[in-house]
Amino acid sequence: AVVSTQSTGQDGGDDDWKRKKRDTSLNDHFLIRRRRQAEFNTLSFYVDETVGRLTMQVTFQRHADRRLLDGISMSPQDNCNTHNQETGSRFGNIVHYAVHCPCVGEWQIKVPRSIDNSWTFSAKTFGDFSIGFDVDFEQAASNGNVEWTKQPCAGDTAKLVITLTQRDSIDEASRIDVLLNGESFDDIFRLRTRDNDKWYVDIKIPKVSFKVAVRGTTVAGNTFLRIHNTEIKPTTTCLKTENIQPSALTIKAGRDTTIIMSLENKFQTGEYRLYCFNDRQRDGFETNIERPRNRVHRVIDPDRLYYIFIKVKAPQAVDEGEVVNVWCVVRSINDRAIKSYRLMVTSIFD
């Protein structure tokens, strides 16, 4: 699990640092504070009791001299006794720390100031009881068909779904928030629980890439915060599955399955070329684009859906249980989107 995101330290100018300090940034939400002292930049972050091992890394933009590499330190603010702290790997432009059984509370990383060598900081947590999470988005097509994706459609309202691990470590009576941060985008939402390990909230998907974090309270009453290690990159070219006939999961031997998709772009018009293929062509599986017949959609209206009809045909001589994977890609000059489908062969008599 990631306890804090990469945080850039730039000492090239006071104005840039002051601007970061004034705004409501992702770091503020995570209880991470940056302070500029005479010779150091200090970054503070919080560690909860579920963390069994903490690793930290500072990476300079360019090769760092010994003053920078040797001047970095990481320690708990209350100076509690922490066992097995490893000061590792000071080489090139990287300094790495690892701490086993870190103290609960606020930790600080101090980095010497440098006028011309910016740096990034990242920290990760490990442990049998360490809280982690995954991110998905539940979005609906125009006919109500719902599908999950890791790349939501920009401009859509979608359900953000958080899957938390180690639920026994979380105080379920406490508030659990999801925090989103990107360029010109910063928001916080309270999550609602839906089933055993999932929390969700409806959000308007921004056009810009953004980070996702979760903040809550452990059963011991300590704040936990985790940042997803993959940035979410919404797509402006949106492909959705409207319908799959006769079945969404299977294809009969010797028969056809029709996939109907919709194409939409709320931000850009232009020409989109369509490509579809499968991984079993040598075995006799066929994938054909029925509409549009010239395999090109000219998107001229951002409020309109443009439909795509794909026909997949299975050979007659094929064993039950075999699988064919189908991919469809649409491309414009500036963007592209891809959808994939996995169909299992069933008997013609089913």
Side-chain angles (χ1 to χ4, degrees):
V2 180
V3 69
S4 68
T5 187
Q6 287 192 340
S7 179
T8 303
Q10 176 66 55
D11 294 316
D14 290 347
D15 291 341
D16 181 65
W17 181 84
K18 290 177 181 176
R19 177 186 61 77
K20 289 181 179 178
K21 187 176 181 181
R22 283 197 305 265
D23 67 16
T24 305
S25 68
L26 186 67
N27 286 346
D28 294 332
H29 287 321
F30 292 164
L31 309 180
I32 297 175
R33 301 194 307 274
R34 182 189 300 281
R35 295 190 298 277
R36 188 172 184 176
Q37 300 168 324
E39 299 296 333
F40 291 90
N41 283 322
T42 300
L43 188 67
S44 299
F45 58 96
Y46 196 84
V47 174
D48 61 83
E49 80 278 3
T50 70
V51 177
R53 186 170 185 264
L54 171 67
T55 66
M56 177 279 294
Q57 182 168 296
V58 172
T59 305
F60 289 94
Q61 185 178 25
R62 293 184 295 277
H63 186 89
D65 58 31
R66 299 308 302 180
R67 180 187 72 86
L68 294 179
L69 296 179
D70 293 341
I72 295 174
S73 62
M74 183 178 73
S75 61
Q77 189 173 16
D78 61 2
N79 294 318
C80 63
N81 292 323
T82 295
H83 301 288
N84 301 324
Q85 178 164 318
E86 304 168 5
T87 305
S89 306
R90 281 187 164 94
F91 59 92
N93 62 335
I94 296 174
V95 174
H96 176 83
Y97 274 92
V99 182
H100 297 276
C101 301
C103 298
V104 173
E106 187 173 318
W107 283 67
Q108 292 183 343
I109 172 75
K110 289 187 175 182
V111 182
R113 289 179 54 190
S114 174
I115 296 176
D116 58 357
N117 200 350
S118 61
W119 51 274
T120 58
F121 162 80
S122 63
K124 294 185 178 182
T125 65
F126 304 88
D128 293 338
F129 301 100
S130 184
I131 300 166
F133 75 98
D134 198 10
V135 183
D136 291 282
F137 296 87
E138 189 180 276
Q139 58 188 22
S142 62
N143 69 346
N145 181 57
V146 173
E147 55 188 350
W148 282 34
T149 181
K150 295 289 187 181
Q151 188 178 37
C153 296
D156 273 10
T157 296
K159 195 178 298 298
L160 185 152
V161 182
I162 299 294
T163 304
L164 283 166
T165 63
Q166 295 300 334
R167 182 165 181 169
D168 290 342
S169 298
I170 301 170
D171 179 3
E172 297 184 21
S174 67
R175 171 171 174 154
I176 299 178
D177 294 323
V178 62
L179 304 97
L180 311 178
N181 175 263
E183 183 179 353
S184 71
F185 173 69
D186 194 350
D187 218 334
I188 179 171
F189 300 92
R190 183 171 185 171
L191 292 171
R192 302 185 301 274
T193 184
R194 180 169 58 180
D195 53 35
N196 287 336
D197 61 352
K198 291 180 173 58
W199 280 256
Y200 70 98
V201 66
D202 292 332
I203 67 168
K204 181 73 173 289
I205 304 298
K207 187 178 179 181
V208 298
S209 299
F210 58 94
K211 298 286 286 187
V212 178
V214 172
R215 181 180 64 193
T217 304
T218 68
V219 291
N222 297 308
T223 298
F224 75 86
L225 48 96
R226 300 291 186 269
I227 301 177
H228 202 258
N229 54 16
T230 301
E231 189 174 50
I232 305 300
K233 298 180 179 180
T235 177
T236 56
T237 301
C238 186
L239 272 181
K240 292 182 180 179
T241 305
E242 297 287 340
N243 200 357
I244 302 181
Q245 301 172 344
S247 170
L249 301 175
T250 62
I251 183 170
K252 293 182 181 295
R255 297 291 180 87
D256 298 332
T257 289
T258 299
I259 301 172
I260 304 173
M261 295 181 292
S262 61
L263 167 65
E264 181 184 25
N265 193 318
K266 294 183 173 69
F267 305 94
Q268 174 181 304
T269 59
E271 189 173 273
Y272 289 81
R273 296 192 174 274
L274 178 63
Y275 308 87
C276 288
F277 52 94
N278 70 69
D279 62 351
R280 300 289 301 278
Q281 289 178 322
R282 292 183 178 181
D283 300 322
F285 286 87
E286 301 176 9
T287 301
N288 297 304
I289 302 171
E290 294 195 321
R291 286 175 50 188
R293 293 192 180 278
N294 62 352
R295 301 190 176 192
V296 175
H297 262 315
R298 291 177 177 84
V299 176
I300 58 176
D301 184 353
D303 295 321
R304 174 185 166 187
L305 296 179
Y306 296 80
Y307 290 96
I308 299 167
F309 288 73
I310 309 298
K311 181 173 285 186
V312 182
K313 185 174 183 178
Q316 187 72 49
V318 62
D319 294 333
E320 289 185 59
E322 292 195 27
V323 172
V324 59
N325 294 291
V326 179
W327 293 272
C328 290
V329 182
V330 292
R331 286 187 175 181
S332 68
I333 296 177
N334 301 317
D335 201 5
R336 75 169 188 169
I338 186 169
K339 292 291 292 184
S340 62
Y341 302 92
R342 181 180 175 89
L343 303 175
M344 178 178 292
V345 176
T346 61
S347 169
I348 190 173
F349 301 107
D350 287 351

